[in-house]
PDB file of all heavy atoms in Angstrom:
ATOM      1  N   ALA A 221      -2.643  19.838  -9.686  1.00 97.00           N
ATOM      2  CA  ALA A 221      -2.113  21.176  -9.601  1.00 97.00           C
ATOM      3  C   ALA A 221      -3.146  22.177 -10.151  1.00 97.00           C
ATOM      4  O   ALA A 221      -3.398  23.214  -9.516  1.00 97.00           O
ATOM      5  CB  ALA A 221      -0.822  21.358 -10.367  1.00 97.00           C
ATOM      6  N   LEU A 222      -3.815  21.799 -11.223  1.00 97.00           N
ATOM      7  CA  LEU A 222      -4.801  22.733 -11.759  1.00 97.00           C
ATOM      8  C   LEU A 222      -6.025  22.760 -10.837  1.00 97.00           C
ATOM      9  O   LEU A 222      -6.620  23.875 -10.689  1.00 97.00           O
ATOM     10  CB  LEU A 222      -5.301  22.147 -13.103  1.00 97.00           C
ATOM     11  CG  LEU A 222      -4.250  22.294 -14.330  1.00 97.00           C
ATOM     12  CD1 LEU A 222      -4.757  21.586 -15.572  1.00 97.00           C
ATOM     13  CD2 LEU A 222      -3.942  23.746 -14.577  1.00 97.00           C
ATOM     14  N   GLU A 223      -6.344  21.695 -10.153  1.00 97.00           N
ATOM     15  CA  GLU A 223      -7.447  21.756  -9.169  1.00 97.00           C
ATOM     16  C   GLU A 223      -7.163  22.685  -8.046  1.00 97.00           C
ATOM     17  O   GLU A 223      -8.008  23.395  -7.626  1.00 97.00           O
ATOM     18  CB  GLU A 223      -7.726  20.278  -8.700  1.00 97.00           C
ATOM     19  CG  GLU A 223      -8.897  20.267  -7.720  1.00 97.00           C
ATOM     20  CD  GLU A 223      -9.167  18.877  -7.182  1.00 97.00           C
ATOM     21  OE1 GLU A 223      -9.091  17.945  -7.978  1.00 97.00           O
ATOM     22  OE2 GLU A 223      -9.513  18.681  -5.937  1.00 97.00           O
ATOM     23  N   ILE A 224      -5.840  22.597  -7.584  1.00 96.00           N
ATOM     24  CA  ILE A 224      -5.506  23.472  -6.422  1.00 96.00           C
ATOM     25  C   ILE A 224      -5.541  24.952  -6.839  1.00 96.00           C
ATOM     26  O   ILE A 224      -6.011  25.764  -6.035  1.00 96.00           O
ATOM     27  CB  ILE A 224      -4.103  23.097  -5.963  1.00 96.00           C
ATOM     28  CG1 ILE A 224      -4.082  21.675  -5.354  1.00 96.00           C
ATOM     29  CG2 ILE A 224      -3.540  24.123  -4.985  1.00 96.00           C
ATOM     30  CD1 ILE A 224      -2.737  21.083  -5.100  1.00 96.00           C
ATOM     31  N   VAL A 225      -5.124  25.283  -8.044  1.00 97.00           N
ATOM     32  CA  VAL A 225      -5.053  26.708  -8.496  1.00 97.00           C
ATOM     33  C   VAL A 225      -6.390  27.197  -9.082  1.00 97.00           C
ATOM     34  O   VAL A 225      -6.533  28.359  -9.393  1.00 97.00           O
ATOM     35  CB  VAL A 225      -3.913  26.986  -9.422  1.00 97.00           C
ATOM     36  CG1 VAL A 225      -2.561  26.621  -8.826  1.00 97.00           C
ATOM     37  CG2 VAL A 225      -4.020  26.251 -10.726  1.00 97.00           C
ATOM     38  N   GLY A 226      -7.231  26.171  -9.268  1.00 96.00           N
ATOM     39  CA  GLY A 226      -8.639  26.596  -9.788  1.00 96.00           C
ATOM     40  C   GLY A 226      -8.646  26.969 -11.241  1.00 96.00           C
ATOM     41  O   GLY A 226      -9.450  27.887 -11.678  1.00 96.00           O
ATOM     42  N   LYS A 227      -7.897  26.275 -12.078  1.00 97.00           N
ATOM     43  CA  LYS A 227      -7.851  26.612 -13.471  1.00 97.00           C
ATOM     44  C   LYS A 227      -8.470  25.458 -14.251  1.00 97.00           C
ATOM     45  O   LYS A 227      -8.366  24.236 -13.940  1.00 97.00           O
ATOM     46  CB  LYS A 227      -6.423  26.779 -13.951  1.00 97.00           C
ATOM     47  CG  LYS A 227      -5.895  28.139 -13.466  1.00 97.00           C
ATOM     48  CD  LYS A 227      -4.470  28.414 -14.053  1.00 97.00           C
ATOM     49  CE  LYS A 227      -3.847  29.688 -13.555  1.00 97.00           C
ATOM     50  NZ  LYS A 227      -2.509  29.911 -14.087  1.00 97.00           N
ATOM     51  N   VAL A 232      -5.900  26.295 -20.160  1.00 97.00           N
ATOM     52  CA  VAL A 232      -4.456  26.551 -19.781  1.00 97.00           C
ATOM     53  C   VAL A 232      -3.597  26.497 -20.969  1.00 97.00           C
ATOM     54  O   VAL A 232      -3.785  25.644 -21.876  1.00 97.00           O
ATOM     55  CB  VAL A 232      -4.020  25.689 -18.678  1.00 97.00           C
ATOM     56  CG1 VAL A 232      -4.852  25.853 -17.349  1.00 97.00           C
ATOM     57  CG2 VAL A 232      -4.063  24.211 -19.062  1.00 97.00           C
ATOM     58  N   SER A 233      -2.533  27.321 -21.027  1.00 97.00           N
ATOM     59  CA  SER A 233      -1.492  27.161 -22.038  1.00 97.00           C
ATOM     60  C   SER A 233      -0.298  26.484 -21.453  1.00 97.00           C
ATOM     61  O   SER A 233       0.069  26.659 -20.300  1.00 97.00           O
ATOM     62  CB  SER A 233      -1.084  28.631 -22.483  1.00 97.00           C
ATOM     63  OG  SER A 233      -0.582  29.397 -21.359  1.00 97.00           O
ATOM     64  N   GLY A 299       3.105  34.692 -19.946  1.00 96.00           N
ATOM     65  CA  GLY A 299       1.721  34.388 -19.771  1.00 96.00           C
ATOM     66  C   GLY A 299       1.433  32.896 -19.719  1.00 96.00           C
ATOM     67  O   GLY A 299       0.150  32.514 -19.654  1.00 96.00           O
ATOM     68  N   ALA A 300       2.363  31.951 -19.801  1.00 97.00           N
ATOM     69  CA  ALA A 300       2.083  30.552 -19.849  1.00 97.00           C
ATOM     70  C   ALA A 300       1.550  30.172 -18.418  1.00 97.00           C
ATOM     71  O   ALA A 300       2.019  30.633 -17.408  1.00 97.00           O
ATOM     72  CB  ALA A 300       3.272  29.722 -20.224  1.00 97.00           C
ATOM     73  N   ASP A 301       0.587  29.192 -18.466  1.00 97.00           N
ATOM     74  CA  ASP A 301       0.148  28.583 -17.206  1.00 97.00           C
ATOM     75  C   ASP A 301       0.964  27.433 -16.764  1.00 97.00           C
ATOM     76  O   ASP A 301       1.074  27.192 -15.492  1.00 97.00           O
ATOM     77  CB  ASP A 301      -1.286  28.091 -17.431  1.00 97.00           C
ATOM     78  CG  ASP A 301      -2.330  29.266 -17.714  1.00 97.00           C
ATOM     79  OD1 ASP A 301      -2.524  30.007 -16.844  1.00 97.00           O
ATOM     80  OD2 ASP A 301      -2.765  29.325 -18.924  1.00 97.00           O
ATOM     81  N   VAL A 302       1.470  26.611 -17.692  1.00 97.00           N
ATOM     82  CA  VAL A 302       2.227  25.429 -17.272  1.00 97.00           C
ATOM     83  C   VAL A 302       3.484  25.352 -18.119  1.00 97.00           C
ATOM     84  O   VAL A 302       3.474  25.569 -19.311  1.00 97.00           O
ATOM     85  CB  VAL A 302       1.309  24.142 -17.601  1.00 97.00           C
ATOM     86  CG1 VAL A 302       2.043  22.937 -17.168  1.00 97.00           C
ATOM     87  CG2 VAL A 302      -0.001  24.291 -16.817  1.00 97.00           C
ATOM     88  N   PHE A 303       4.583  24.865 -17.450  1.00 97.00           N
ATOM     89  CA  PHE A 303       5.864  24.560 -18.157  1.00 97.00           C
ATOM     90  C   PHE A 303       6.175  23.158 -17.835  1.00 97.00           C
ATOM     91  O   PHE A 303       6.213  22.742 -16.729  1.00 97.00           O
ATOM     92  CB  PHE A 303       6.945  25.474 -17.603  1.00 97.00           C
ATOM     93  CG  PHE A 303       8.354  25.079 -18.080  1.00 97.00           C
ATOM     94  CD1 PHE A 303       8.760  25.520 -19.364  1.00 97.00           C
ATOM     95  CD2 PHE A 303       9.165  24.270 -17.429  1.00 97.00           C
ATOM     96  CE1 PHE A 303       9.998  25.122 -19.900  1.00 97.00           C
ATOM     97  CE2 PHE A 303      10.398  23.884 -17.870  1.00 97.00           C
ATOM     98  CZ  PHE A 303      10.850  24.302 -19.098  1.00 97.00           C
ATOM     99  N   VAL A 317      10.152  32.532 -14.954  1.00 96.00           N
ATOM    100  CA  VAL A 317       9.095  32.104 -14.016  1.00 96.00           C
ATOM    101  C   VAL A 317       8.185  33.371 -13.719  1.00 96.00           C
ATOM    102  O   VAL A 317       6.957  33.271 -13.626  1.00 96.00           O
ATOM    103  CB  VAL A 317       9.685  31.512 -12.727  1.00 96.00           C
ATOM    104  CG1 VAL A 317       8.515  31.182 -11.757  1.00 96.00           C
ATOM    105  CG2 VAL A 317      10.488  30.335 -13.012  1.00 96.00           C
ATOM    106  N   ARG A 318       8.877  34.492 -13.491  1.00 97.00           N
ATOM    107  CA  ARG A 318       8.068  35.809 -13.166  1.00 97.00           C
ATOM    108  C   ARG A 318       7.174  36.201 -14.343  1.00 97.00           C
ATOM    109  O   ARG A 318       6.136  36.784 -14.104  1.00 97.00           O
ATOM    110  CB  ARG A 318       9.066  36.901 -12.883  1.00 97.00           C
ATOM    111  CG  ARG A 318       9.862  36.708 -11.613  1.00 97.00           C
ATOM    112  CD  ARG A 318      10.578  37.926 -11.160  1.00 97.00           C
ATOM    113  NE  ARG A 318      11.547  37.697 -10.078  1.00 97.00           N
ATOM    114  CZ  ARG A 318      12.798  37.520 -10.085  1.00 97.00           C
ATOM    115  NH1 ARG A 318      13.408  37.558 -11.317  1.00 97.00           N
ATOM    116  NH2 ARG A 318      13.520  37.355  -9.086  1.00 97.00           N
ATOM    117  N   SER A 319       7.486  35.762 -15.592  1.00 97.00           N
ATOM    118  CA  SER A 319       6.731  36.148 -16.707  1.00 97.00           C
ATOM    119  C   SER A 319       5.496  35.305 -16.899  1.00 97.00           C
ATOM    120  O   SER A 319       4.641  35.597 -17.773  1.00 97.00           O
ATOM    121  CB  SER A 319       7.630  36.109 -17.934  1.00 97.00           C
ATOM    122  OG  SER A 319       7.888  34.791 -18.421  1.00 97.00           O
ATOM    123  N   MET A 320       5.374  34.221 -16.188  1.00 97.00           N
ATOM    124  CA  MET A 320       4.248  33.296 -16.356  1.00 97.00           C
ATOM    125  C   MET A 320       2.978  33.873 -15.757  1.00 97.00           C
ATOM    126  O   MET A 320       3.013  34.902 -15.103  1.00 97.00           O
ATOM    127  CB  MET A 320       4.580  31.951 -15.697  1.00 97.00           C
ATOM    128  CG  MET A 320       5.751  31.206 -16.354  1.00 97.00           C
ATOM    129  SD  MET A 320       6.103  29.618 -15.652  1.00 97.00           S
ATOM    130  CE  MET A 320       4.713  28.632 -16.163  1.00 97.00           C
ATOM    131  N   ALA A 321       1.868  33.248 -16.068  1.00 96.00           N
ATOM    132  CA  ALA A 321       0.606  33.629 -15.550  1.00 96.00           C
ATOM    133  C   ALA A 321       0.490  33.476 -14.039  1.00 96.00           C
ATOM    134  O   ALA A 321       1.387  32.885 -13.394  1.00 96.00           O
ATOM    135  CB  ALA A 321      -0.541  32.852 -16.230  1.00 96.00           C
ATOM    136  N   ASP A 322      -0.603  33.918 -13.440  1.00 96.00           N
ATOM    137  CA  ASP A 322      -0.866  33.699 -12.015  1.00 96.00           C
ATOM    138  C   ASP A 322      -0.852  32.252 -11.675  1.00 96.00           C
ATOM    139  O   ASP A 322      -1.311  31.443 -12.529  1.00 96.00           O
ATOM    140  CB  ASP A 322      -2.182  34.344 -11.610  1.00 96.00           C
ATOM    141  CG  ASP A 322      -2.148  35.836 -11.697  1.00 96.00           C
ATOM    142  OD1 ASP A 322      -1.047  36.445 -11.736  1.00 96.00           O
ATOM    143  OD2 ASP A 322      -3.187  36.502 -11.766  1.00 96.00           O
ATOM    144  N   SER A 323      -0.350  31.951 -10.505  1.00 96.00           N
ATOM    145  CA  SER A 323      -0.311  30.552 -10.006  1.00 96.00           C
ATOM    146  C   SER A 323       0.239  29.581 -11.081  1.00 96.00           C
ATOM    147  O   SER A 323      -0.399  28.642 -11.443  1.00 96.00           O
ATOM    148  CB  SER A 323      -1.768  30.032  -9.558  1.00 96.00           C
ATOM    149  OG  SER A 323      -2.295  30.929  -8.602  1.00 96.00           O
ATOM    150  N   PRO A 324       1.487  29.797 -11.464  1.00 97.00           N
ATOM    151  CA  PRO A 324       2.060  28.985 -12.507  1.00 97.00           C
ATOM    152  C   PRO A 324       2.409  27.584 -11.997  1.00 97.00           C
ATOM    153  O   PRO A 324       2.514  27.290 -10.761  1.00 97.00           O
ATOM    154  CB  PRO A 324       3.346  29.708 -12.854  1.00 97.00           C
ATOM    155  CG  PRO A 324       3.758  30.389 -11.660  1.00 97.00           C
ATOM    156  CD  PRO A 324       2.471  30.895 -10.992  1.00 97.00           C
ATOM    157  N   ILE A 325       2.417  26.687 -12.942  1.00 97.00           N
ATOM    158  CA  ILE A 325       2.769  25.232 -12.669  1.00 97.00           C
ATOM    159  C   ILE A 325       3.999  24.907 -13.465  1.00 97.00           C
ATOM    160  O   ILE A 325       4.010  25.006 -14.647  1.00 97.00           O
ATOM    161  CB  ILE A 325       1.586  24.314 -13.043  1.00 97.00           C
ATOM    162  CG1 ILE A 325       0.347  24.736 -12.223  1.00 97.00           C
ATOM    163  CG2 ILE A 325       1.985  22.890 -12.820  1.00 97.00           C
ATOM    164  CD1 ILE A 325      -0.943  24.130 -12.723  1.00 97.00           C
ATOM    165  N   ILE A 326       5.017  24.386 -12.799  1.00 97.00           N
ATOM    166  CA  ILE A 326       6.250  24.151 -13.423  1.00 97.00           C
ATOM    167  C   ILE A 326       6.652  22.601 -13.090  1.00 97.00           C
ATOM    168  O   ILE A 326       6.775  22.348 -11.939  1.00 97.00           O
ATOM    169  CB  ILE A 326       7.453  25.013 -12.986  1.00 97.00           C
ATOM    170  CG1 ILE A 326       7.185  26.427 -13.441  1.00 97.00           C
ATOM    171  CG2 ILE A 326       8.803  24.530 -13.557  1.00 97.00           C
ATOM    172  CD1 ILE A 326       8.152  27.451 -13.005  1.00 97.00           C
ATOM    173  N   ARG A 345       8.636  33.049  -7.603  1.00 95.00           N
ATOM    174  CA  ARG A 345       7.158  33.239  -7.502  1.00 95.00           C
ATOM    175  C   ARG A 345       6.680  32.282  -6.336  1.00 95.00           C
ATOM    176  O   ARG A 345       6.735  31.080  -6.348  1.00 95.00           O
ATOM    177  CB  ARG A 345       6.430  32.634  -8.738  1.00 95.00           C
ATOM    178  CG  ARG A 345       6.675  33.635  -9.998  1.00 95.00           C
ATOM    179  CD  ARG A 345       5.812  34.802  -9.931  1.00 95.00           C
ATOM    180  NE  ARG A 345       4.416  34.477  -9.998  1.00 95.00           N
ATOM    181  CZ  ARG A 345       3.768  34.410 -11.166  1.00 95.00           C
ATOM    182  NH1 ARG A 345       4.386  34.571 -12.329  1.00 95.00           N
ATOM    183  NH2 ARG A 345       2.457  34.164 -11.204  1.00 95.00           N
ATOM    184  N   SER A 346       6.109  32.885  -5.215  1.00 95.00           N
ATOM    185  CA  SER A 346       5.681  32.134  -4.132  1.00 95.00           C
ATOM    186  C   SER A 346       4.417  31.252  -4.418  1.00 95.00           C
ATOM    187  O   SER A 346       4.100  30.388  -3.786  1.00 95.00           O
ATOM    188  CB  SER A 346       5.449  33.080  -2.888  1.00 95.00           C
ATOM    189  OG  SER A 346       4.394  33.983  -3.252  1.00 95.00           O
ATOM    190  N   ASP A 347       3.747  31.669  -5.569  1.00 96.00           N
ATOM    191  CA  ASP A 347       2.469  31.000  -5.905  1.00 96.00           C
ATOM    192  C   ASP A 347       2.749  29.819  -6.791  1.00 96.00           C
ATOM    193  O   ASP A 347       1.773  29.206  -7.269  1.00 96.00           O
ATOM    194  CB  ASP A 347       1.506  31.946  -6.478  1.00 96.00           C
ATOM    195  CG  ASP A 347       1.982  32.646  -7.650  1.00 96.00           C
ATOM    196  OD1 ASP A 347       3.194  32.608  -7.943  1.00 96.00           O
ATOM    197  OD2 ASP A 347       1.137  33.228  -8.424  1.00 96.00           O
ATOM    198  N   VAL A 348       3.962  29.447  -7.129  1.00 97.00           N
ATOM    199  CA  VAL A 348       4.289  28.435  -8.085  1.00 97.00           C
ATOM    200  C   VAL A 348       4.102  27.084  -7.455  1.00 97.00           C
ATOM    201  O   VAL A 348       4.302  26.861  -6.279  1.00 97.00           O
ATOM    202  CB  VAL A 348       5.699  28.615  -8.628  1.00 97.00           C
ATOM    203  CG1 VAL A 348       6.741  28.221  -7.570  1.00 97.00           C
ATOM    204  CG2 VAL A 348       5.939  27.608  -9.848  1.00 97.00           C
ATOM    205  N   ILE A 349       3.556  26.095  -8.265  1.00 97.00           N
ATOM    206  CA  ILE A 349       3.516  24.739  -7.853  1.00 97.00           C
ATOM    207  C   ILE A 349       4.535  24.046  -8.775  1.00 97.00           C
ATOM    208  O   ILE A 349       4.588  24.126  -9.946  1.00 97.00           O
ATOM    209  CB  ILE A 349       2.138  24.066  -8.135  1.00 97.00           C
ATOM    210  CG1 ILE A 349       1.121  24.693  -7.219  1.00 97.00           C
ATOM    211  CG2 ILE A 349       2.215  22.578  -7.933  1.00 97.00           C
ATOM    212  CD1 ILE A 349      -0.329  24.158  -7.342  1.00 97.00           C
ATOM    213  N   MET A 350       5.491  23.339  -8.084  1.00 96.00           N
ATOM    214  CA  MET A 350       6.712  22.883  -8.655  1.00 96.00           C
ATOM    215  C   MET A 350       6.845  21.389  -8.537  1.00 96.00           C
ATOM    216  O   MET A 350       6.630  20.843  -7.453  1.00 96.00           O
ATOM    217  CB  MET A 350       7.910  23.571  -8.055  1.00 96.00           C
ATOM    218  CG  MET A 350       9.193  23.137  -8.481  1.00 96.00           C
ATOM    219  SD  MET A 350       9.694  23.896 -10.017  1.00 96.00           S
ATOM    220  CE  MET A 350      11.388  23.422 -10.179  1.00 96.00           C
ATOM    221  N   PRO A 419      -0.025  22.011  -2.586  1.00 95.00           N
ATOM    222  CA  PRO A 419       1.034  22.474  -3.611  1.00 95.00           C
ATOM    223  C   PRO A 419       2.283  21.590  -3.562  1.00 95.00           C
ATOM    224  O   PRO A 419       2.989  21.409  -4.626  1.00 95.00           O
ATOM    225  CB  PRO A 419       1.319  23.884  -3.199  1.00 95.00           C
ATOM    226  CG  PRO A 419      -0.002  24.350  -2.643  1.00 95.00           C
ATOM    227  CD  PRO A 419      -0.490  23.211  -1.861  1.00 95.00           C
TER     228      PRO A 419
END
Side-chain angles (χ1 to χ4, degrees):
L222 290 174
E223 180 178 324
I224 291 168
V225 301
K227 293 184 179 181
V232 296
S233 58
D301 296 291
V302 181
F303 172 83
V317 179
R318 293 188 185 104
S319 72
M320 295 179 73
D322 292 341
S323 302
I325 298 165
I326 294 177
R345 292 283 294 271
S346 61
D347 60 343
V348 69
I349 294 181
M350 176 80 173

